[in-house]
Amino acid sequence: MTFCEWPTLALILASSSAWILVIGLYSELGPLVVCPLAAILVTLQSSLQHEVLHGHPTRSPALNEALVYCSFGLCVPYRRFKSLHLRHHNNDRLTDPYDDPESFYLAWADWQKLPRAIQLVLTINNTLIGRLLIGPAVSVAGFVGAEIRMMMAGDRVVMRAWAHHAAGLVPVVLYVTLVGGMPFWLYIVAVAYPGMSLLMLRTYAEHRAHEQAEARSIIVEFCPVFSLLFLNNNLHVVHHANPRAPWYRLPHLYRAARTQWHERNGGYVFSSYFQLARHYLFKVKEPVVHPIKHNQTSGFSAAEKAVS
């Protein structure tokens, strides 16, 4: 190894060890203690997978992938996450219903084709409480459906990604059930799902529709606990401007030019996630239909977006 970002490597090893310890103590501690702690670790691993796909902590993509190969969150293959998320980093196309695979917006023509029940679900999903409660189900159902269609069409890259994902899930399932003694249905319902829900607190308002590319990414300032859990991606405009910068460098980059960052992102700034919740817990932040790309025909549905 010729180069390594030791804080990231240490956090990967520490969080994986913590997950092993917590799940292994399920019989002694019980679900009320283990499930919340394990859900937090699922969210943290998702944030670390995001770091890894951006080229951290080493210069070896294979070694980096090996460090997060076993997905505690169960649902999204790392290789598909990497492929879709790097496409998302085309800043000029952020939020575009067709070109941004992580956009929750739809074009008007696609919205009009949806049954009223689905329109209602997607509208509820654009409130913060909706995103936390049904967002994981909406995202996973649509994402997996789209992936199945690609595999049925013969996409071997997608097939290989899911094969690797399945291989990584085998030790997770065996450890949870045989060593931890936890029913796997309970792990899905009380660990994996809330872990993904917690991640969606970050992704809920991460981007907005705006004419200016840099004004599409949020800044959430005061969140010492969430900053660690989300690896400083609350400073999201800074990450999009410096996608190769490791997570522990983002606060310095932000503090060094705080006023300029606020100007660059058009004042899309919240003091905390509590302020964000006060505004949008029960209120739709934006319509599902993209307000700028209104008439574009989309290649994705809002439910087919992989989580970031």
Side-chain angles (χ1 to χ4, degrees), residues 45-115:
Q45 193 202 41
S46 296
S47 298
L48 286 164
Q49 287 179 323
H50 173 259
E51 282 294 300
V52 167
L53 68 83
H54 279 292
H56 312 288
T58 79
R59 290 176 178 169
S60 168
L63 177 56
N64 292 343
E65 181 179 357
L67 291 169
V68 293
Y69 192 77
C70 297
S71 177
F72 303 151
L74 305 180
C75 295
V76 181
Y78 167 77
R79 292 189 178 193
R80 295 300 294 143
F81 181 20
K82 180 177 181 178
S83 175
L84 292 167
H85 185 73
L86 293 180
R87 280 176 53 195
H88 163 76
H89 266 271
N90 181 348
N91 287 344
D92 290 335
R93 309 302 293 172
L94 273 178
T95 76
D96 186 284
Y98 181 77
D99 291 327
D100 181 0
E102 294 182 8
S103 174
F104 278 91
Y105 294 100
L106 284 178
W108 175 256
D110 299 310
W111 172 255
Q112 288 292 92
K113 296 174 185 176
L114 293 175

Side-chain angles (χ1 to χ4, degrees), residues 28-298:
E28 288 76 18
L29 300 179
L32 294 181
V33 173
V34 168
C35 290
L37 291 176
I40 290 169
L41 293 168
V42 165
T43 305
L44 181 57
Q45 193 202 41
S46 296
S47 298
L48 286 164
Q49 287 179 323
H50 173 259
E51 282 294 300
V52 167
L53 68 83
H54 279 292
H56 312 288
T58 79
R59 290 176 178 169
S60 168
L63 177 56
N64 292 343
E65 181 179 357
L67 291 169
V68 293
Y69 192 77
C70 297
S71 177
F72 303 151
L74 305 180
C75 295
V76 181
Y78 167 77
R79 292 189 178 193
R80 295 300 294 143
F81 181 20
K82 180 177 181 178
S83 175
L84 292 167
H85 185 73
L86 293 180
R87 280 176 53 195
H88 163 76
H89 266 271
N90 181 348
N91 287 344
D92 290 335
R93 309 302 293 172
L94 273 178
T95 76
D96 186 284
Y98 181 77
D99 291 327
D100 181 0
E102 294 182 8
S103 174
F104 278 91
Y105 294 100
L106 284 178
W108 175 256
D110 299 310
W111 172 255
Q112 288 292 92
K113 296 174 185 176
L114 293 175
R116 290 298 179 91
I118 301 299
Q119 290 182 351
L120 177 60
V121 167
L122 295 180
T123 300
I124 294 171
N125 195 46
N126 268 16
T127 66
L128 180 56
I129 190 68
R131 191 67 57 87
L132 296 177
L133 294 178
I134 68 171
V138 170
S139 293
V140 169
F143 168 66
V144 172
E147 295 285 292
I148 290 173
R149 288 193 292 273
M150 284 187 280
M151 287 188 281
M152 291 180 66
D155 192 321
R156 294 187 178 278
V157 172
V158 176
M159 291 179 190
R160 283 194 294 272
W162 278 94
H164 278 281
H165 184 60
L169 287 183
V170 170
V172 173
V173 174
L174 292 178
Y175 189 80
V176 168
T177 56
L178 299 182
V179 179
M182 178 187 291
F184 197 64
W185 67 264
L186 180 64
Y187 185 88
I188 294 171
V189 171
V191 177
Y193 194 96
M196 190 174 183
S197 177
L198 186 55
L199 183 69
M200 287 197 164
L201 174 63
R202 172 175 69 81
T203 62
Y204 169 70
E206 208 162 57
H207 297 291
R208 64 173 176 174
H210 199 282
E211 292 284 1
Q212 301 300 317
E214 285 197 311
R216 297 170 191 163
S217 299
I218 200 170
I219 293 169
V220 181
E221 291 196 300
F222 179 75
C223 47
V225 174
F226 289 130
S227 290
L228 176 60
L229 192 60
F230 301 151
L231 298 185
N232 295 319
N233 265 277
N234 50 292
L235 306 173
H236 207 61
V237 68
V238 185
H239 166 64
H240 268 265
N242 302 272
R244 296 288 295 177
W247 60 277
Y248 50 85
R249 287 278 300 155
L250 297 180
H252 170 75
L253 293 172
Y254 176 65
R255 288 192 300 266
R258 181 175 179 270
T259 301
Q260 291 88 333
W261 286 116
H262 287 208
E263 293 172 354
R264 287 172 65 171
N265 92 327
Y268 188 35
V269 179
F270 289 85
S271 61
S272 67
Y273 284 106
F274 296 106
Q275 184 192 25
L276 182 69
R278 284 198 300 270
H279 280 79
Y280 299 116
L281 187 62
F282 299 107
K283 179 182 176 182
V284 172
K285 185 176 80 72
E286 290 179 287
V288 179
V289 175
H290 198 293
I292 300 171
K293 306 287 184 179
H294 190 79
N295 295 315
Q296 182 176 354
T297 299
S298 170

